[in-house]
Amino acid sequence: ERDVRGPDNKDEKDPEPETQHGEIEELREPLWAILQQLREEIEGKGYTTIIGDDASGRIPTLIMREVLTTLAKDREQQAPKTLFIAGSGTPGKQPGRAELDLKRGAIQALLAEHAPVADQGRVLIVTDTIETGSSLQLLCEVLRSLGFSYDIATIALMGDTDGVSIERRLGGRVLAGISSAESAPQIYFRRNLHSGVRKDPGELHSRGHGRMD
């Protein structure tokens, strides 16, 4: 059975507040900076769907969901739906054509099932860091092919490439809380603390180590 994590999935557990408090504190300032950049869009038509990078972008995605849901309720608007999709590749580990084709189909099916039609609003992609943008390329290609408009929010730009170059590669506006690796939250230099999941580049979602499919 295909593992689909749509909105309000009861199997989808939010991080425990006690264990994630330090990480949230480190994200407070960059997330605030992102929200300031999103103000015009939020005050306008807003976002109908949030897509979080699974699993490293989970914490900022859940925080962003809480903020946008609260604002939507205050304005008597429908809260955005939230989906999680793993990035397609990491430095030194890129999926093959067959893997990409399978994942493209899975993303299309997930969006068809859970996301509103493209002309009803924008999509907000949320990730932890962007170095080259390659892991988000497939998702952005699928969104464009389906007619969705989207913005990309990231806690930090980590590589030497500037935001303008990333925007050209991904075809959407990039909103960074921090524009250099030197100022990035320390949690992104402690990857071993988040080693409870494995992200295979051709799969739709990250998986816990030791999970049997």
Side-chain angles (χ1 to χ4, degrees), residues 29 38 41 73 141-142 165 195 208:
E29 289 189 15
L38 291 175
E41 185 62 39
K73 288 181 178 178
E141 288 174 8
V142 173
S165 299
S195 58

Side-chain angles (χ1 to χ4, degrees), residues 3-102:
D3 179 15
V4 174
R5 297 175 183 173
D8 302 324
N9 190 313
K10 298 305 180 183
D11 294 330
E12 185 65 42
K13 296 182 179 180
D14 293 356
E16 293 293 334
E18 294 80 7
T19 61
Q20 302 297 338
H21 179 73
E23 285 88 341
I24 292 173
E25 283 302 311
E26 287 190 85
L27 299 178
R28 185 183 300 275
E29 289 189 15
L31 280 170
W32 176 251
I34 291 169
L35 286 168
Q36 293 304 301
Q37 296 174 71
L38 291 175
R39 175 175 291 181
E40 182 176 345
E41 185 62 39
I42 292 172
E43 292 177 349
K45 197 171 183 179
Y47 295 98
T48 57
T49 306
I50 303 170
I51 300 179
D53 184 8
D54 191 24
S56 56
R58 190 174 295 263
I59 294 174
T61 299
L62 293 173
I63 295 173
M64 193 70 70
R65 178 182 70 179
E66 182 176 351
V67 172
L68 296 184
T69 296
T70 299
L71 292 173
K73 288 181 178 178
D74 289 344
R75 302 176 65 184
E76 298 183 346
Q77 296 177 342
Q78 185 172 355
K81 295 185 177 181
T82 305
L83 310 174
F84 290 96
I85 298 175
S88 302
T90 57
K93 187 177 182 182
Q94 297 298 318
R97 182 178 297 274
E99 289 179 305
L100 285 174
D101 287 343
L102 286 172

Side-chain angles (χ1 to χ4, degrees), residues 15 21 48 111 116 121 135 145 164 175 195 201 205:
H21 179 73
T48 57
L111 293 174
S135 67
S145 73
V164 175
L175 308 153
S195 58
H205 299 109

Side-chain angles (χ1 to χ4, degrees), residues 164-176:
V164 175
S165 299
I166 298 295
E167 287 180 340
R168 285 199 295 266
R169 167 173 276 188
L170 298 181
R173 183 171 56 143
V174 174
L175 308 153

